[in-house]
Amino acid sequence: EVSKILKRGTDEFLGFLRRSPGGKNQVFPENSRLPLPFKVSGDESNARHGDKVLAKFHRWDGPAPLPSCRILRALGPAGDPMTDHLGILAAYGLSSTFPEKVLREAALTPDHVRPSDRKGRRDFRKTFTLTIDPLDARDFDDALSLRSLPDGALEIAVHIADVSAYVPPGSALDKEARRRGNSTYLVGEVVPMLPENLSNGVCSLVEGEERLVKSVVFRFGKGAKLLKTEFAEGVILSDKRLTYEQAGLFLDEKRDLPAIRSAKPPESRYSGNPGKALADLPDPALRQIRTTLRSLWKIASALRKRRLKDGSLNLDSPEVKILVDAKGRPERILQIQSDESHHLIEEFMLLANESVAKELRKRKLHAIHRAHPEPDPEKLDELRHFVSLFGISCGDLNHRRETNKLLDAIRRHPLAQVLRIKFLRSLKQACYRASPDGHYGLAKKDYLHFTSPIRRYADLVVHRILARLLHKERRPAPQLDKLEAT
């Protein structure tokens, strides 16, 4: 066990405090194959028998029979959900708190959009705008707006929270976000990439408040034909925050307004900001939401059909979501089906990501691209033989049409989840690259991540590149002069 710890390149490890037959405290490493304990020396953590602890390998002097460790921190009683939660954070080096310097910088960030912040930005505040997110979302980083144009075309804009306006390159906020790389999602909690007053505050597109955004503006003609794409920095005012379940109600042709109004609202304790209840909205507001969503879905469904026809893999599958109480104990387990509301958001986010990637490549600008390499033919052949054991026959999986036929067969199979995991393991992992090397799963030549700068550092970098393209120079961040003075 000592050898395993040292090979990991760290001398910190998780373990359980036990009392030896001789009455001395010892730590038994978590998931240890051998019953090799560590003798405790200098324990000042107040750990109790049976506690889960974070320990540090100290020494192992021969002829001492046991290595020695020092308990750094007692996480709590073994088996307690919060103890397990703290153990996960410790095991992966995650921290739900931020350094003091980062918090000081975050405190200088304005908590609202000021008149000076709107200068030079496109004003979308009077355009009807919606956000659609999961039931338990704490931050909202994307929104959609819809406007009918005089010539009959539709202007649909994808608005993404402009995190780059508040996180200057080289600042303590930036360095900490880069170190974390992403927000980390655990059951019942998120370990954010940015402090809460940014991720859940001024950078979250909450209902009824102005927010700065970077926007990809599409113009669609008849037959959902894409006529034009523009990029802009803007300011929006979200008219309504919806969950996927609520959006699904509006898209359901069988539900009238009374049925939508009477639907059970999402529980606010799971969500960061549920907004106004549908039951409190007047009929004209509900009709506008319904009309907007159905117009958006008409375009999104056409985009989806084209994407799948072009060879994009249909990897839809049910998602299991666990909701917990304040003490971390499972309270509800939901199986979320990917339906029209999910597909609507997915299609516009994919289109925005692809459009930004194309524009940056056309301008010959370096960026962080999302690449998904082609699978190895040998792996695909092995997969074909494997699924045949379960009564599924398929042709040459090097052809995308056959691959999507296989995915359809897997979805209908009683062991769909097992077969889907096997399918995913037959593919290569997607990765970030400096070059636009294409995305196999999406069947796209150009693709990057642009739509989640609150929780992905790669997206934040892309936003900065786009900002320099739009302005030819970097926009000064709010309060930067005060920030440098401190």
Side-chain angles (χ1 to χ4, degrees), residues 22-242:
K24 295 182 178 180
N25 283 338
Q26 295 176 340
V27 170
F28 290 79
E30 185 181 36
N31 300 326
S32 173
R33 292 184 179 180
L34 298 174
L36 174 63
F38 285 65
K39 182 174 62 176
V40 177
S41 63
D43 177 20
E44 300 177 359
S45 65
N46 297 320
R48 299 180 180 181
H49 176 70
D51 276 1
K52 192 172 187 176
V53 298
L54 178 66
K56 183 174 184 178
F57 178 74
H58 183 52
R59 60 190 299 179
W60 192 0
D61 296 334
L66 294 179
S68 176
C69 74
R70 180 165 55 90
I71 296 178
L72 301 178
R73 184 158 52 105
L75 304 178
D80 185 282
M82 293 308 297
T83 300
D84 292 335
H85 174 75
L86 293 174
I88 292 171
L89 297 181
Y92 291 96
L94 302 172
S95 175
S96 56
T97 61
F98 287 85
E100 186 61 33
K101 186 176 181 180
V102 175
L103 294 177
R104 286 201 304 269
E105 284 191 3
L108 294 173
T109 304
D111 60 0
H112 64 282
V113 174
R114 303 162 302 182
S116 59
D117 297 332
R118 302 190 203 110
K119 188 176 180 181
R121 290 178 174 267
R122 184 168 169 178
D123 193 344
F124 293 95
R125 289 176 295 170
K126 293 183 180 180
T127 304
F128 192 72
T129 303
L130 298 169
T131 64
I132 306 176
D133 291 276
L135 166 71
D136 57 345
R138 302 298 177 90
D139 55 64
F140 317 122
D141 50 11
D142 57 78
L144 293 174
S145 68
L146 175 69
R147 185 166 70 100
S148 297
L149 303 178
D151 61 359
L154 288 179
E155 181 186 271
I156 298 175
V158 176
H159 305 290
I160 307 300
D162 194 354
V163 178
S164 64
Y166 300 101
V167 183
S171 64
L173 276 168
D174 177 56
K175 291 177 180 177
E176 181 66 14
R178 183 172 57 192
R179 186 188 70 80
R180 295 182 178 224
N182 302 279
S183 294
T184 303
Y185 290 84
L186 307 174
V187 174
E189 186 191 355
V190 57
V191 181
M193 185 178 79
L194 296 167
E196 185 175 359
N197 68 314
L198 274 80
S199 59
N200 291 3
V202 72
C203 291
S204 183
L205 309 182
V206 297
E207 179 181 318
E209 295 188 28
E210 293 183 17
R211 288 294 184 259
L212 302 183
V213 293
K214 280 189 170 59
S215 306
V216 186
V217 185
F218 303 106
R219 180 177 293 186
F220 290 95
K222 292 183 179 180
K225 182 180 180 181
L226 181 57
L227 304 175
K228 187 178 181 181
T229 303
E230 296 178 315
F231 306 92
E233 288 188 317
V235 57
I236 68 166
L237 180 66
S238 176
D239 291 278
K240 189 70 194 83
R241 185 272 200 217
L242 297 172

Side-chain angles (χ1 to χ4, degrees), residues 246-259:
Q246 288 176 319
L249 297 177
F250 287 99
L251 292 171
D252 187 349
E253 298 284 352
K254 297 179 181 179
R255 290 185 182 266
D256 56 15
L257 293 187

Side-chain angles (χ1 to χ4, degrees), residues 132-137 243-246 248 270 315-323 332-343 417 420:
I132 306 176
D133 291 276
L135 166 71
D136 57 345
T243 66
Y244 284 117
E245 291 77 13
Q246 288 176 319
Y270 294 129
L315 296 172
D316 285 347
S317 67
E319 174 192 358
V320 174
K321 187 177 289 291
I322 302 173
L323 302 177
R332 295 172 63 192
I333 299 178
L334 307 175
Q335 187 177 56
I336 309 296
Q337 297 287 345
S338 185
D339 59 13
E340 292 179 351
S341 63
H342 294 81
H343 296 160
Q417 184 65 11
R420 181 175 180 273

